[in-house]
Every structure is written in C-alpha cells, then in structure tokens.
Amino acid sequence: MPAIPKKVKNILDEQWLIFSKKIQQLEKELSLSALSLECDHAAIRVNSTLLADQFRAFLELRGTVISENIINGRPILIFKLTQPLILNGKEVPCIELPYPNDKIYPEEGWEHVEFVVPSHAKSCDQLTEDVLSVIPQLAPHINGQTGVKVKLSSPCGEHERLANPTIALKKDNICIKLHPHSIQDIILSESSEI
C-alpha cells in the first residue's frame, strides 16, 4: 500500500475531529442538532491539483468514485466510502472532492457538510419555504438577522435530472448546507429517464 501523504492524513484524520466539533456547535446554534437529519456528504477544499490528485488516490483506497462530473467548469468527484465517517454520531457515507479553480482557500481541508431536508422543492424559494416549515428557528438566520451568512444556489451537473437547490449557512469558515435530495439520489438521477 502506498504511503499516505502527511497533509492528506492530517486533513482526513486530525482535522476531521476539529471540524466535527465546530459543525456540532453550528448545528446547535442553528437548532438543527435535535432533528436527526441525514448528513449525506462532507466536502474538502484544496488549492492545488497535486493535492487533489493525492486525495483522489487515497480516497480510492477507502471507497469508490460514484460520480465524476464537471460543475461550474471544474471536475468534482464524489466518493462513497467503504467505512463512513462519523459526525456527531451520524454516518457520513460520501466525500465530495472538487478540483481547484481560480479561487484560493485561506485554509485547505474540510469546508462543509450537507444535510438532507426532504422536500420536492425545485427552486431556492420553494426550498426556503419548506425548510422554514420544518425548522422555523432558522428564520432569523435566513432573514439576515444574525451573524450567519446565507447563500442560496442551485448547483447542477451536466446530466442531473433532479433539482437540488441548496441553502448554505456559514459562520466562522464553517458551513452547513441544506438540500432536498441526497448526493447519491442526485447521482442516480443522472442515469434515469426522469
């Protein structure tokens, strides 16, 4: 088995523990921790193709690439792990590894996790309405009345047929995203005749 580059090992192991604690704090602040939402994946951000390639090689030893797609002009890989990561007692089955683009991240490593709030929303407005009906405590955050930054987006891969609008809630460089469908359901939609 090839040696694991030190930076890769540090991000996947030591940084994961620190990141998990910060996510747990943000979950509490956002009133999400008691909801038992599915955490479908966690995402890593890197600034160099070399480091992305090292992550890819290592993650291929820990799981399988279930999607390799071009989104916003760059490759984004999704790995389904043989052994899920554990985030505050929840299993996280997948890791998202985007290859770098022009943006330079101040710190490479774990960037966000995504939770599924089941919904049939096809737009960010519909998702916001559905999320607030389930989690009304998010209203002050979504309405810009707190220190949490909110970004609405509708990322879409080339072959995806299932709309997956997203609400990103970010504070102190820690981000939780909410979307209506798991990443694995989105990937399945790429090959279906929906």
Side-chain angles (χ1 to χ4, degrees):
M1 184 176 288
I4 303 164
K6 188 175 181 178
K7 189 166 188 175
V8 169
K9 182 164 179 42
N10 178 279
I11 289 171
L12 287 174
D13 296 333
E14 289 97 46
Q15 276 193 25
W16 177 254
L17 297 174
I18 296 164
F19 178 72
S20 295
K21 288 178 182 166
K22 290 179 180 178
I23 288 291
Q24 187 173 29
Q25 290 170 344
L26 186 54
E27 275 186 278
K28 283 181 185 171
E29 184 175 338
L30 298 173
S31 302
L32 299 175
S33 47
L35 296 176
S36 299
L37 298 173
E38 172 193 354
C39 183
D40 66 324
H41 72 280
I44 294 171
R45 293 293 184 256
V46 297
N47 291 327
S48 75
T49 300
L50 173 63
L51 187 56
D53 286 341
Q54 290 173 341
F55 266 107
R56 179 181 184 146
F58 181 68
L59 290 170
E60 285 175 339
L61 299 173
R62 284 194 173 181
T64 306
V65 175
I66 59 172
S67 175
E68 187 169 352
N69 218 333
I70 302 295
I71 299 177
N72 296 330
R74 64 178 171 163
I76 296 184
L77 285 75
I78 306 295
F79 293 85
K80 182 167 185 182
L81 301 171
T82 306
Q83 286 220 308
L85 295 169
I86 302 299
L87 175 69
N88 309 322
K90 299 174 192 165
E91 290 190 351
V92 183
C94 297
I95 292 179
E96 172 188 319
L97 174 64
Y99 269 68
N101 57 11
D102 296 337
K103 183 175 180 178
I104 299 295
Y105 295 95
E107 186 176 334
E108 295 176 298
W110 297 106
E111 199 262 347
H112 72 263
V113 296
E114 299 202 22
F115 290 104
V116 178
V117 179
S119 164
H120 295 291
K122 294 188 178 358
S123 71
C124 291
D125 288 342
Q126 289 173 332
L127 178 62
T128 300
E129 189 176 309
D130 288 353
V131 164
L132 289 177
S133 73
V134 177
I135 317 163
Q137 306 89 327
L138 278 179
H141 303 295
I142 289 177
N143 294 329
Q145 298 166 330
T146 69
V148 175
K149 292 180 184 172
V150 177
K151 180 180 176 186
L152 305 177
S153 64
S154 294
C156 186
E158 186 179 357
H159 303 291
E160 289 173 12
R161 300 179 192 279
L162 197 57
N164 206 27
T166 301
I167 300 171
L169 302 146
K170 188 173 185 176
K171 185 174 182 183
D172 300 328
N173 291 320
I174 297 296
C175 183
I176 291 176
K177 295 185 180 186
L178 307 174
H179 55 175
H181 305 288
S182 76
I183 194 71
Q184 292 185 76
D185 287 345
I186 294 297
I187 291 165
L188 280 174
S189 81
E190 294 175 359
S191 59
S192 72
E193 298 296 323
I194 296 174

